[in-house]
Amino acid sequence: MTRLQLFQRATVDAAVSALSTGSRRFLVADEVGLGKTIVARAVAERLKPSGHSLNIFYLCPSLEIAAQNRDKFAALTGLTRTEQSAGADRLSLSLWSPPPSGNGFRVLSLTPETSLPCWKPGARTGRKQERSLIWNLIRRGYPDLVRDLRMLESNRGAKTPLFEASSDDVSPLASSFDQALRAIFNCDGGHLEPEMRSWLEWTKDPLEFVARCRSALVLAALSRKRTSPDLLILDEFHRYADLIVPSRGNLSKKSASIEQQRAGKILADRQRVHKILIDALLNGNGGRSPAVLLLSATPYKLSRLDGSQINPGQRYGSLIELVKFLYGPEGDSLARRVTESISAYHRALASREEVDQAKQRILLAKRQLEAIFKPVIARTERALALTDDQFVRCALPTSIESADIEVFRHLATSVAAVKNDRLRSWTTPLWSSVPYPAQTLHGYGVWKALLRARRRPRITIENSRARPAHPQFRQLSNSVVDAKLLQLPWLKPSLPWWTLEGAWAENQSRNCGKVLLFSKFRAVPTAVSALLSLPIDEASIGSKLRGVKVKTQSYLRPNVGLNHGLLAMFAPWPSLSAAIEPKKDPALGISSIVRDAAKQLRVWIEQRGIEIKNGPSRPTWKVAVALEIGGNSQIARELTRSLRIPALLSTLDVWSKTPQITQISTIEIERLAEFLLSAPGPIVARSLARHGVALKVRENLDEKIVQKAFDFCWTKLRTYLGQRYFERAVVGRSRKRYPQSLMMALTKGGFEAVLDEQLALLRTLGDKKGSELIVELGNGLLDRPGLVRLRRRGSDSPVRVHAAAPFSGGERRGGGHDRKDEKLRSDTLRRAFNSPFWPHVLSTTSIGQEGLDFHYWCDMIVHWDLPVGPVEFEQREGRVSRYSSLTVRRAFVAQHSPSVYKAASRNSPFIELFERAHLAPDDGIGLQKWWTPASEKPTSITFNMDFSVRARRLKRLQDDLMFYRLGIGQPDPEAFINFLKHIDASPDIARGLALNLSPSMTESLSVRREVQ
């Protein structure tokens, strides 16, 4: 697990104190990227009572964030992903199938949409499994209600029945469910069935009834100790403020129609049920209330489901409500003091009196606020602790060319022909952002106007490829994204083991990581991804694409007959793979590494009593098979069972009958050593062994591990590396066949060092271990490109996106009817982007700027469109500026690599690198070493066009960037920044005036003296 830094340990101490003996509510509001989830996990470890279990509910607003962070909490249980998934993944089903417990922890990862049925308007019928459970419970004791439901079902006329019975015995749940139904249907006494029938007769809506019954399941689960939270973690809670401050709503007005009044009553009833569930979740259902830990980097503006703010008429309404919630029962009595202190702070910031007097007033109000906030809020900000910028900033100059004007002219005339002023107002913003709008604006309001245009655009993607007709894309393709590097199947390692060659050696002095691009319009990610991917598609067939259907894999396919060479490449070779350990010296060339491997293999062979003498040279695969399993029937059976795939049966049959080898020639040793050094199967086997995943325990194979390793190599890695897109990077000028060229490329490109780095990241950042590492390696490989739409030659056509991909909107081609046009899931893309493999460029909108990690292999942020404000700016850059990011690792390599190479031996060099970095002295509170080292920084790219509105906004942002970063963590960023500008504050004065809620950081005396 990730080790805590000093500021994180201080935050954990503060949170545990509040959750144990204080208000039992605490907010961790650390700046973006500082590991709030890791802090939350450490808090959970500290809160667990000795000898007792702890139920953790992790609630987050989206499935993407849940998929990313659930494993960090599940790691507390020590359970595998398969064991963890045996329990329910939503609260309503946890009553029937509670999540498993491990190491005294039970973790349930939830989203409000799936676990709070009355969370959003509309029918929420849940899963079939939920409805089946409800039906079995209803059938037990409510026969009249069953008849009513069946009648309503028949009247509904749906093809699929709403309820389906199962044979499950639900009697143990009946009492809890019945009691919960009374609360949900507001039946305090008397018979419940008439009340439910009356409610159903009033609504005449079985779907609404299902939502109420799902709510009853949730309430029943919260009433049982095994399925109620001891620790409730609300991640990115500002996006669902309805949880902590439920909306009161309004009853329908008397003047409204009967139907409107009925809808209003249903809404009011939903809000009542929602409040019941929230009270039970936050305050406990008949027992001690759970500890509530809130996580958010932007907590001062709380948004409801409809996008409105809490108490929108009050300037600080959200903040006051938040503090009241955090203080619990004491919050109401504290509200007046909070309001007075915040108002005093605001008046001091807004005043334009004598500077020293204003600063004194701000300091006084600031200390009052800190005294109120610190018992329940902790926030650490890099801008308060570090003086340097976190990024290398580059504003690329752009200019308008005649082709750009022609594109604008076509868009403007097409939209003007519609005679719609609202659409016309979008012309300039869309043209300035979206490349080739007449071909890429599918789904926008102006698209119909473009389709009805009298003439097609004169400037298109096809006829302006050499000089793209978009200012920003010209700079992106010329100065940001290197086309040659984009074609690489994997990035070069941060810690190379020898001198790289081939395509990976070009621009070797340049640090080449992935690129994350943020835009305003959702058409940009698909357009940019298609434009970057098209040249690679064309190169893969050697000509311009003209409707040619290109297969995504044309190499490394098994033949109908024997596949000895191909199987040998991807077999993990449990014994032979360990016969050599590649030498690690960045000053050495590959030939020296191969010679050293041959020496090691010679010793390994001599130890087995095999005679070395000159003789005929046999195929390398045959020598490998003879050394690995020759004459050993048990090993043969175990290995062939592990590698058993229908297409390889005849090949494996030959292998199992291979006799024991008695002698070997020198040339065979040299060729075998080169094979073991460069074949993907042995590389994967050695890499896994360095991270504790051994294919062989003593003399026996671990068949499950061998099977998973081979499944990864054969099914995932072979399919990925066999794509024809990689031919230029892999084969280059070589005349050898693709398999031989690929093995040479794996050595030239440092593939084993890349795998070692990725596995180290999955262990330390992803908390993966054992066979989970193999699964996660496979998750980092996209098996096929996504598809996006472009309009070309008068019709829509699909375009493959692979080296560059959109984070939303990409479609994948399925292997069957059930997968046709299936969306390429954002979580799949996130995992692939956090690997050294494709895609190398990920384009997204605001959907990707909050709560997600993209920092494993990315070192560059591109602001295609400037963010709306400083909070969005911070959120975007926080996706990359995170713990142990690519640039942080480069700094470690520069500091510790000489000693790492010497100490690594057969262990993982990257784990050794992390260990040495942990042992090195900390800087202050631990921020600079693991987040923003002075020697290596990520790059932030913006585009600057002289005399444009963007240029003015960009200059303003850059001039005031330090103020903005300090202001983000303040209750009123705008007023704070304006005051700093008014007094022309120095950085030290600005830091002294800023609210400081960090438990590990206090103002220095020198800063206080300067401010005062």
Side-chain angles (χ1 to χ4, degrees), residues 135-143 146 169-172 174-175 178:
W135 188 242
N136 285 349
L137 287 164
I138 292 293
R139 286 195 309 161
R140 283 186 62 265
Y142 307 104
V146 168
D169 179 17
V170 297
S171 54
S175 177
D178 290 348

Side-chain angles (χ1 to χ4, degrees), residues 240-305:
Y240 42 90
D242 303 76
L243 272 182
I244 65 173
V245 186
S247 175
R248 295 179 178 86
N250 295 312
L251 293 175
S252 57
K253 298 179 181 179
K254 292 183 179 180
S255 59
S257 67
I258 295 175
E259 191 61 31
Q260 289 174 329
Q261 291 184 38
R262 176 178 169 276
K265 289 180 179 179
I266 291 178
L267 175 61
D269 191 53
R270 272 179 166 267
Q271 291 171 345
R272 179 186 62 81
V273 173
H274 175 65
K275 188 175 186 308
I276 291 173
L277 297 184
I278 295 307
D279 285 344
L281 187 67
L282 296 178
N283 303 316
N285 192 8
R288 189 186 183 208
S289 62
V292 181
L293 181 64
L294 277 60
L295 309 177
S296 175
T298 54
Y300 301 136
K301 288 187 178 181
L302 309 183
S303 300
R304 295 198 182 278
L305 272 175

Side-chain angles (χ1 to χ4, degrees), residues 606-659:
E606 289 174 345
Q607 290 174 346
R608 279 150 182 77
I610 299 172
E611 183 181 4
I612 301 174
K613 60 182 295 186
N614 292 330
S617 179
R618 292 161 289 187
T620 300
W621 71 264
K622 187 172 289 188
V623 176
V625 172
L627 288 172
E628 181 76 38
I629 63 176
N632 190 325
S633 59
Q634 180 182 352
I635 293 292
R637 285 194 302 271
E638 292 176 352
L639 189 60
T640 52
R641 276 201 305 266
S642 299
L643 310 186
R644 203 164 188 82
I645 288 178
L648 303 174
L649 292 181
S650 56
T651 305
L652 290 171
D653 185 56
V654 174
W655 283 23
S656 63
K657 298 174 183 177
T658 301

Side-chain angles (χ1 to χ4, degrees), residues 464-494:
S464 62
R465 190 71 54 79
R467 187 73 179 170
H470 192 273
Q472 289 163 223
F473 190 78
R474 281 195 294 274
Q475 281 288 21
L476 182 75
S477 56
N478 292 335
S479 305
V480 179
V481 178
D482 190 316
K484 291 183 179 179
L485 293 173
L486 203 61
Q487 296 179 35
L488 295 180
W490 63 87
L491 299 180
K492 66 181 183 181
S494 303

Side-chain angles (χ1 to χ4, degrees), residues 52 102-103 216 231 250 273 311 448 510 515 518 606 658 735 760 869 932 956 970 982:
H52 294 81
N103 296 332
L231 172 62
N250 295 312
V273 173
N311 296 336
K448 290 183 180 179
R510 177 186 169 193
V515 177
F518 285 99
E606 289 174 345
T658 301
R735 295 185 178 180
T932 54
R956 191 164 61 246
Q970 307 306 305
H982 171 68

